[in-house]
Amino acid sequence: MAGGGQVEKRVKYKSSVKDPGTPGFLRIREGMLLFVPNDPKSDSKLKVLTQNIKSQKNTKEGSNKPPWLNLTNKLGKSHIFEFENYPDMHACRDFITKALAICEEEPNKSAVSTSSEQLSIKELELRFKLLRENSELQRLHKQFVESKVLTEDEFWATRKKLLGKDSIRKSKQQVGLKSMMVSGIKPSTDGRTNRVTFNLTPEIIFQIFAEKPAVRQAFINYVPSKMTEKDFWTKYFRAEYLYSTKNTAVAAAEAAEDEELAVFLKPDEILARETRQKIRRVDPTLDMEADQGDDYTHLMDHGIQRDGTMDVVEPQNDQFRRSLLQDLNRHAAVVLEGRSIDVESEDTRIVAEALTRVKQVSKADGETTKDANLERLERMSRLAGMEDLQAPQNFPLAPLSIKDPRDYFESQQGNVLNVPRGAKGLKRNVHEAYGLLKESILEIRATGLSDPLIRPEVSFEVFSSLTRTISTAKNIIGKNPRESILDRLPKSTKDEVLHVSPTFSSVLSDKKLYMY
Amino acid sequence: MPAIASKQYSDDVSLLVLLLDTNPLFWSTTSITFSQFLSHVLAFLNAVLGLNQLNQVVVIATGYSSCDYIYDSSLTSNHGNFESNGTGMPAIFGSLLKKLEEFVTKDEELSKEEVSEDRIPSCLLSGSLSMALCYIQRVFRSGHLHPQPRILCLQGSPDGPEQYVAVMNSIFSAQRLMVPIDSCYIGVQNSAFLQQASYITGGVHHTPKQLDGLFQYLTTIFATDLHSRGFVQLPKPIGVDFRASCFCHKKTIDMGYICSVCLSIFCEHHKKCSTCGSVFGQSKLDDASSASDKKRKAPST
């Protein structure tokens, strides 16, 4: 920068874009910006206090536009300065940035000095809150303190437990982890100073340590030996910022330069080790059939980018790339685990150490012994056994024996009925019977058919009984369940009935319909 | 002549195979005499032959120990004028009666040779059914034009359970051939075989109450040919007796044990199936009885 604390350049001042611009000089000093036109008669002299500048914009070097610097002040008015060349413009811009940063720090300093009074303010707030909630207490307070019987301190001294109880009540309930991702918190960006500010709360620190064990390990290693906590977090957030730009080339370059930064940029080794151990313990005998249709695993993030953009990455920078899915999964795992430590401390180091201790304990529990491993392998081989690779199993065969059917048919023997006649008696009977039979045949041969063959009244009786049998319902039931009323009619009649009344056909063909 | 023959062939040409029960043990115990019975039957046969010029009738006699073809109306020797003795006997049946007499004599001879045991006095239904089906099969294979065959079983003897399997086999063959088996039972007890036969094959079963009106029964119910049965209502029985006979004792049972491999029926529990040799498991009902068996065995050994 030219002239410690002062920059002077030849510029053209434009109040708007269309303005051709008045040539002049721009002088930038601490706290002030002065533009003096060449022509003493023109009245576009400008004096701007850096405090009033809200933001600055500039045209990019590479574009065909001339080097402009656009300053907007708090009132909204914009001043455009056209420089002769880009390096001039960059110098001015940097100077203004520095100036803005300096004037921003000052109000912060004033804020710090009031912190010592804050504790008591906090306590006052607590007191007021208690009084508001408890009307009884408020009455007592009014009675004693306002009538000057007791001083404030004395009043609250006896009620310390009320104050204390309140805070204890707060800490008793364990608040769970937020499911919103920490790395998704957008920092506040400052357009004026081009600064990016991250707000770190203990909550956020805890989440970062829980999700990224490499960061935790680095913290324990580097702080306070190599760098301060503030530097550590600055480096960490620089790494985060580099990630968000998705510029892996830059990330690789910076990692090569800065060793500590590299720790944040590289993939988390501790985490990788943990997951590898977990994988070893997983039962590999799974049904792989379901997985065949899904073939998106070769794409990073399953093809979904965090911001919706697609990026091509060079292979040597691949390890500096991080995927949304990895972050999500890790965050989800941590949230589900819950708070593994009870330490509520402001000190980051204590938190880090406590987390490490817890992780070591769980790691020791999870380690499998040799026997367990053997057992697991055996079980796996049993489950995944393939039938056609086994030795042939020879089942004992029983010969088929079916009885000779002749035995059944030829045995006319039924020791079933107790025929009262003896064997001899039967023979005699048989002989007699045959004799009778032969007699009958001879008789009919001689006499011919009986005349009359059948008596009319007998015939009539038979006819009527048959007709009765046919017409009664009892004969219909049980014979053929598949028959229906229609089937009993002659075919032509059935056709006619069906033709005339199609709506009845479904009713009449119902299997359960009977004629009564 | 084949052209004319085809024109004459209508739907209602039928071949009736009559199975005549000539079991002497039954006929010696009935109210109606065999000669009266025969006259009814012969008149009926005449009527059937008169219904259609191309109708055929075959008569098979079911005896005590044997069966035989008695009469075949399609044989030319029967058409011709037979010697009529001046009796009222239609000439057409002269050979039938002659053959019947010869058959009865033969049957008597056979029954003498057979060692007489205690056996239900049944006729050889399975044999005559098989013969009928063989004849029908021959008719089926004779040519394209043939009458529609059916079997009419006139029986009075009770069922012989030892013939159960054979009768069932015949029934199923008839079902396969689509030959209905009509049955007219004139005996005292109910015949389960005949009921099942008619039920399975789609025939008609009837038990006439009045035996002196047998001709009327025969002509009303059993003379209808198969085509006419589509629109003529015939009396049907209320229920069917589906009892089977066991394989070990050949007695009729309605509840028993069945081998799950070959479906043989037994009336009591066996350790092994006698037909196929498969070993039976312990049945739950026998747990108590087997325990008592063991107790009994111990002192005897």
Side-chain angles (χ1 to χ4, degrees):
Chain A
M1 295 291 156
Q6 185 177 283
V7 168
E8 190 168 326
K9 297 277 180 242
R10 199 190 295 267
V11 296
K12 268 195 197 160
Y13 170 67
K14 303 151 81 108
S15 54
S16 69
V17 179
K18 290 222 174 89
D19 191 4
T22 42
F25 275 98
L26 182 68
R27 212 171 282 133
I28 308 174
R29 221 178 284 140
E30 276 190 42
M32 201 173 66
L33 200 131
L34 196 66
F35 173 71
V36 180
N38 287 342
D39 191 1
K41 285 209 201 91
S42 89
D43 51 1
S44 51
K45 195 168 174 186
L46 192 66
K47 184 174 173 188
V48 180
L49 290 172
T50 42
Q51 282 162 330
N52 294 337
I53 297 175
K54 199 168 73 167
S55 70
Q56 60 171 346
K57 285 185 280 195
N58 62 294
T59 55
K60 271 211 167 67
E61 192 165 351
S63 59
N64 294 333
K65 293 200 188 134
W68 287 347
L69 185 67
N70 185 350
L71 298 173
T72 17
N73 66 1
K74 287 196 174 131
L75 298 168
K77 194 163 169 11
S78 63
H79 309 285
I80 305 175
F81 295 102
E82 188 177 329
F83 288 83
E84 284 173 352
N85 50 32
Y86 270 99
D88 282 352
M89 201 249 309
H90 285 322
C92 280
R93 186 192 66 187
D94 293 337
F95 199 79
I96 292 173
T97 311
K98 264 172 89 178
L100 283 174
I102 290 165
C103 65
E104 251 194 30
E105 273 176 20
E106 286 175 4
N108 286 349
K109 276 189 194 141
S110 55
V112 172
S113 57
T114 56
S115 62
S116 55
E117 293 168 2
Q118 294 225 342
L119 282 167
S120 56
I121 292 173
K122 229 164 82 179
E123 209 180 286
L124 274 171
E125 276 181 17
L126 190 60
R127 286 180 187 176
F128 280 131
K129 195 172 136 226
L130 272 175
L131 285 174
R132 255 203 320 272
E133 283 169 9
N134 201 340
S135 61
E136 174 73 26
L137 197 67
Q138 194 174 31
R139 194 178 58 79
L140 283 170
H141 184 266
K142 231 189 239 175
Q143 194 182 354
F144 292 129
V145 174
E146 269 156 48
S147 56
K148 303 278 193 269
V149 173
L150 289 173
T151 62
E152 279 271 355
D153 292 327
E154 280 169 359
F155 181 78
W156 287 109
T158 50
R159 282 167 184 76
K160 245 201 180 68
K161 63 179 174 79
L162 277 177
L163 293 169
K165 222 201 313 183
D166 210 18
S167 57
I168 288 168
R169 222 192 311 141
K170 273 191 203 144
S171 62
K172 269 241 171 82
Q173 182 185 39
Q174 259 206 0
V175 182
L177 295 165
K178 283 204 183 73
S179 55
M180 186 174 70
M181 281 188 74
V182 167
S183 41
I185 293 175
K186 287 263 180 276
S188 57
T189 48
D190 204 349
R192 278 200 294 176
T193 55
N194 277 341
R195 246 186 195 199
V196 173
T197 318
F198 287 88
N199 282 324
L200 263 191
T201 61
E203 179 78 24
I204 295 176
I205 290 174
F206 177 79
Q207 277 215 316
I208 292 172
F209 281 163
E211 287 179 25
K212 300 180 192 178
V215 172
R216 186 181 70 225
Q217 192 62 39
F219 184 85
I220 292 174
N221 291 341
Y222 294 153
V223 174
S225 53
K226 272 200 190 166
M227 58 174 94
T228 63
E229 194 176 325
K230 191 154 179 278
D231 283 342
F232 179 82
W233 288 119
T234 316
K235 278 226 166 95
Y236 173 75
F237 282 113
R238 175 127 191 96
E240 286 289 316
Y241 175 73
L242 284 173
Y243 269 125
S244 69
T245 55
K246 287 204 173 358
N247 200 339
T248 49
V250 171
E254 292 232 5
E257 278 178 18
D258 194 351
E259 193 197 297
E260 287 101 35
L261 200 62
V263 171
F264 300 128
L265 290 170
K266 283 212 188 98
D268 200 328
E269 263 309 309
I270 301 174
L271 199 58
R273 217 181 5 201
E274 274 178 23
T275 46
R276 268 201 294 275
Q277 262 195 329
K278 276 190 206 162
I279 285 167
R280 255 183 250 125
R281 279 185 261 145
V282 168
D283 182 11
T285 59
L286 293 174
D287 181 17
M288 301 296 284
E289 276 180 17
D291 218 30
Q292 276 176 9
D294 306 324
D295 189 21
Y296 48 80
T297 47
H298 65 279
L299 286 174
M300 187 80 154
D301 274 352
H302 296 264
I304 305 165
Q305 300 298 322
R306 195 160 176 170
D307 297 328
T309 57
M310 290 285 279
D311 224 358
V312 181
V313 176
E314 290 144 49
Q316 71 263 26
N317 296 334
D318 204 23
Q319 56 172 329
F320 296 103
R321 198 166 68 149
R322 211 162 60 183
S323 75
L324 169 63
L325 220 62
Q326 285 168 348
D327 292 343
L328 270 176
N329 285 341
R330 183 69 195 148
H331 180 70
V334 167
V335 168
L336 286 174
E337 220 175 66
R339 284 188 186 279
S340 47
I341 55 168
D342 277 330
V343 177
E344 267 276 328
S345 163
E346 297 275 328
D347 190 3
T348 338
R349 188 167 179 88
I350 293 177
V351 169
E353 279 175 354
L355 268 174
T356 320
R357 263 204 307 277
V358 168
K359 288 279 181 264
Q360 272 176 350
V361 167
S362 66
K363 194 169 118 183
D365 285 340
E367 261 171 14
T368 53
T369 60
K370 213 176 175 189
D371 287 332
N373 265 342
L374 274 173
E375 194 206 295
R376 220 166 30 88
L377 285 170
E378 197 188 302
R379 191 170 57 89
M380 268 155 50
S381 64
R382 218 177 30 237
L383 285 173
M386 284 173 267
E387 274 174 13
D388 41 355
L389 295 180
Q390 310 281 3
Q393 285 180 326
N394 292 320
F395 295 108
L397 295 171
L400 183 68
S401 72
I402 298 178
K403 201 166 86 161
D404 193 0
R406 281 198 299 267
D407 291 342
Y408 179 86
F409 291 115
E410 280 163 14
S411 71
Q412 299 277 334
Q413 328 192 2
N415 35 336
V416 178
L417 282 198
N418 327 339
V419 182
R421 302 167 275 185
K424 254 196 178 167
L426 185 67
K427 249 188 177 168
R428 224 183 303 124
N429 277 342
V430 168
H431 186 66
E432 272 177 30
Y434 271 114
L436 283 169
L437 201 67
K438 275 191 267 192
E439 268 178 41
S440 296
I441 296 170
L442 282 169
E443 189 191 324
I444 193 172
R445 265 183 108 180
T447 55
L449 297 176
S450 51
D451 184 29
L453 185 65
I454 183 168
R455 276 181 293 128
E457 52 271 18
V458 173
S459 176
F460 180 72
E461 265 179 55
V462 168
F463 239 153
S464 45
S465 73
L466 280 179
T467 319
R468 230 179 301 123
T469 314
I470 292 166
S471 60
T472 50
K474 266 196 277 184
N475 291 336
I476 299 170
I477 295 170
K479 167 61 176 157
N480 193 349
R482 285 187 291 275
E483 258 184 45
S484 69
I485 266 286
L486 279 177
D487 292 339
R488 307 198 146 270
L489 301 169
K491 192 171 173 300
S492 54
T493 320
K494 178 180 165 184
D495 287 343
E496 262 179 64
V497 169
L498 286 174
H499 181 71
V500 165
S501 52
T503 51
F504 288 126
S505 64
S506 59
V507 174
L508 286 175
S509 58
D510 189 281
K511 283 156 188 156
K512 296 200 182 83
L513 192 65
Y514 293 114
M515 194 165 68
Y516 287 99
Chain B
M1 287 322 218
I4 299 171
S6 64
K7 271 189 205 162
Q8 286 170 335
Y9 250 100
S10 52
D11 292 335
D12 55 354
V13 177
S14 53
L15 161 66
L16 177 66
V17 181
L18 182 67
L19 307 183
L20 206 59
D21 184 8
T22 58
N23 184 10
L25 296 171
F26 164 70
W27 287 114
S28 57
T29 58
T30 50
S31 53
I32 185 175
T33 62
F34 189 65
S35 52
Q36 285 170 334
F37 169 74
L38 263 185
S39 51
H40 285 282
V41 170
L42 291 175
F44 165 68
L45 287 179
N46 230 356
V48 167
L49 286 171
L51 278 174
N52 193 308
Q53 200 180 358
L54 297 168
N55 274 358
Q56 287 176 36
V57 168
V58 174
V59 180
I60 299 173
T62 318
Y64 183 69
S65 316
S66 61
C67 317
D68 202 4
Y69 294 100
I70 301 292
Y71 176 75
D72 188 348
S73 65
S74 57
L75 293 176
T76 47
S77 59
N78 291 332
H79 287 288
N81 281 340
F82 213 75
E83 13 94 31
S84 59
N85 303 343
T87 58
M89 194 65 224
I92 198 164
F93 293 124
S95 63
L96 188 152
L97 290 167
K98 189 161 166 284
K99 275 209 172 142
L100 182 60
E101 207 181 327
E102 287 166 14
F103 167 74
V104 170
T105 320
K106 208 168 56 167
D107 199 36
E108 198 184 348
E109 301 284 325
L110 284 169
S111 65
K112 276 187 199 157
E113 286 169 13
E114 196 184 299
V115 179
S116 58
E117 311 91 14
D118 292 324
R119 165 200 140 169
I120 294 175
S122 62
C123 65
L124 211 58
L125 178 62
S126 53
S128 52
L129 267 178
S130 316
M131 291 177 85
L133 288 168
C134 287
Y135 187 90
I136 288 169
Q137 182 69 281
R138 186 154 63 99
V139 167
F140 276 145
R141 291 182 190 183
S142 64
H144 188 61
L145 289 173
H146 56 79
Q148 289 178 327
R150 69 179 189 274
I151 298 174
L152 172 58
C153 197
L154 273 180
Q155 190 179 314
S157 325
D159 292 333
E162 67 273 6
Q163 300 178 46
Y164 173 70
V165 174
V167 169
M168 291 313 290
N169 287 340
S170 316
I171 292 169
F172 293 134
S173 321
Q175 187 191 26
R176 260 296 191 69
L177 290 172
M178 289 190 287
V179 171
I181 300 178
D182 303 330
S183 49
C184 182
Y185 189 71
I186 50 181
V188 178
Q189 303 154 323
N190 237 337
S191 165
F193 288 175
L194 290 180
Q195 282 182 36
Q196 289 184 42
S198 300
Y199 178 76
I200 292 169
T201 55
V204 181
H205 174 84
H206 198 76
T207 317
K209 303 287 182 303
Q210 287 170 290
L211 285 180
D212 48 353
L214 183 64
F215 173 73
Q216 187 60 58
Y217 282 108
L218 289 174
T219 46
T220 313
I221 302 168
F222 298 107
T224 34
D225 54 273
L226 296 182
H227 175 75
S228 313
R229 287 185 195 193
F231 46 83
V232 170
Q233 272 209 36
L234 299 172
K236 293 173 168 71
I238 298 165
V240 183
D241 182 3
F242 279 115
R243 280 181 306 166
S245 53
C246 77
F247 283 44
C248 41
H249 306 111
K250 314 282 190 304
K251 60 178 180 184
T252 314
I253 52 167
D254 43 16
M255 200 154 2
Y257 298 86
I258 295 187
C259 168
S260 49
V261 174
C262 64
L263 297 179
S264 328
I265 305 165
F266 301 101
C267 53
E268 59 189 22
H269 182 68
H270 288 245
K271 286 267 176 354
K272 210 170 82 130
C273 172
S274 53
T275 321
C276 65
S278 50
V279 179
F280 294 143
Q282 185 92 34
S283 105
K284 285 177 193 148
L285 299 166
D286 280 357
D287 280 341
S289 58
S290 65
S292 55
D293 275 343
K294 283 174 191 161
K295 279 185 192 163
R296 265 190 264 122
K297 273 183 190 163
S300 64
T301 51

